[in-house]
Amino acid sequence: MVEKQQLFVEAKNSIVNQNKDKAVDLAKQGLDSGVSGIELLEKGFLPGISEVGELFGSGRLFLPELIVAGQTMEKVVEVINESLVGGEAKGDKGKVLIATVEGDVHDIGKTIVVSIFKANGFDVKDIGRDVPNQKILDEAEKFGADVIGTSALLTTTMVQQKNLEELLRKEGLREKYKTIVGGAPVTQRWAKRIGADAYAQDAGDGVKKLAEIRKD
Ligand code: B1M
């Protein structure tokens, strides 16, 4: 078994090098040796995918590599999520419907958020990625959601979070739901500007914000 610090370095490298098998092995190895899923993500795999983003953004890594790095991260999140949800989910803190907005296929962060919310006692329905606002609303009605959460990773798709607020107002449903927004380009300022009830920087922050808005 490699040292913890070494494990984090190797986990990061496995994402940057798009080495799926190695990444999954390291995730399993870490969990088996008692390292928490959150720590594995925060100290190992997430710094890896951030570096991939930087390399891609600066033209030092290309789309095919970004795709494989994304798939590698998806596999890792799948393995780690199983350990996060475990037996802890009670689902008695409220119903949260979550989607990645239309035009946006980024769902790694959303999937982590869903697991952490579940593990913290929320009843969560994840309706996937690239979801049109009307569908988000229809599904929220069907599910009987208290909160609608959306994730947007592209500066070009963030606008869907604003459109959703407008749709809720237009349908006379704005008071019925609390809304929470997240995603790398999303900020507290954006949330305030569009009239969302809360912004969350990461999954842990999301749990705090959900508790706050559910009290209002
Ligand atoms: Co894309 N991509 N990508 N990509 N990708 C970014 C976002 C980008 C910043 C990379 C870059 O250029 N540096 C850039 C966007 C630039 C911009 O908008 N200005 C970009 C681009 C350009 C693209 C394409 C357009 C590339 C192309 O085709 N030419 C394309 C778009 C496709 C589309 O959506 N229509 C594309 C495609 C992809 C892949 C499919 C290959 C893959 C995604 C795979 C998948 O998600 N299943 C991918 C990836 C992996 C990335 C980066 C590298 C990593 C994203 C990620 O998973 N981060 C990303 C670079 C980056 O973000 N630094 C990039 C890890 C994840 C845990 O973080 O999602 O931020 P994040 O989630 C966090 C918080 O934001 C928060 O909590 C999470 C956990 O801490 N959070 C919430 C998120 N949602 C929340 C919801 C909440 C609460 C908190 O409540 C509801």
Side-chain angles (χ1 to χ4, degrees):
M1 171 57 202
V2 283
E3 284 284 308
K4 213 167 163 182
Q5 282 316 315
Q6 184 62 23
L7 176 74
F8 296 145
V9 171
E10 288 190 25
K12 178 181 173 190
N13 291 341
S14 69
I15 299 296
V16 176
N17 299 328
Q18 309 120 50
N19 190 337
K20 258 185 238 175
D21 293 342
K22 174 101 184 165
V24 168
D25 274 358
L26 288 166
K28 287 182 177 160
Q29 212 181 109
L31 292 171
D32 288 348
S33 63
V35 185
S36 81
I38 301 284
E39 199 179 3
L40 278 169
L41 282 172
E42 284 178 352
K43 299 192 177 152
F45 297 108
L46 292 182
I49 199 72
S50 291
E51 188 166 323
V52 166
E54 280 162 31
L55 292 169
F56 178 74
S58 59
R60 284 173 289 160
L61 187 139
F62 300 100
L63 189 56
E65 294 154 310
L66 176 71
I67 292 172
V68 183
Q71 290 166 345
T72 306
M73 197 62 204
E74 285 167 19
K75 289 269 170 228
V76 163
V77 169
E78 219 177 281
V79 171
I80 290 182
N81 273 350
E82 283 168 24
S83 79
L84 292 180
V85 177
E88 294 164 72
K90 289 191 296 292
D92 55 3
K93 288 201 189 150
K95 291 183 152 198
V96 189
L97 181 110
I98 296 192
T100 298
V101 298
E102 183 169 20
D104 201 325
V105 302
H106 296 88
D107 65 355
I108 294 168
K110 172 199 56 82
T111 307
I112 294 173
V113 166
V114 166
S115 296
I116 303 276
F117 284 5
K118 282 185 179 164
N120 279 275
F122 294 93
D123 183 2
V124 185
K125 180 155 189 198
D126 177 2
I127 58 165
R129 55 190 188 176
D130 189 12
V131 186
N133 281 331
Q134 187 60 56
K135 177 154 191 219
I136 293 178
L137 194 46
D138 294 345
E139 294 286 337
E141 289 280 286
K142 265 196 253 164
F143 180 51
D146 307 299
V147 181
I148 300 177
T150 53
S151 182
L153 261 288
L154 297 169
T155 45
T156 48
T157 57
M158 286 165 68
V159 69
Q160 293 302 342
Q161 295 176 325
K162 177 166 167 274
N163 295 346
L164 177 64
E165 297 292 329
E166 284 165 6
L167 180 65
L168 285 168
R169 283 194 286 270
K170 187 174 138 243
E171 299 291 329
L173 292 168
R174 188 58 191 85
E175 299 309 312
K176 186 171 177 183
Y177 298 105
K178 297 287 183 183
T179 55
I180 180 165
V181 291
V186 177
T187 58
Q188 176 64 55
R189 196 154 161 247
W190 170 250
K192 194 165 174 223
R193 198 176 125 198
I194 65 174
D197 293 299
Y199 156 73
Q201 193 182 341
D202 55 34
D205 188 31
V207 172
K208 273 191 237 144
K209 297 289 170 61
L210 279 185
E212 283 170 21
I213 57 176
R214 294 273 296 130
K215 268 193 252 144
D216 294 345

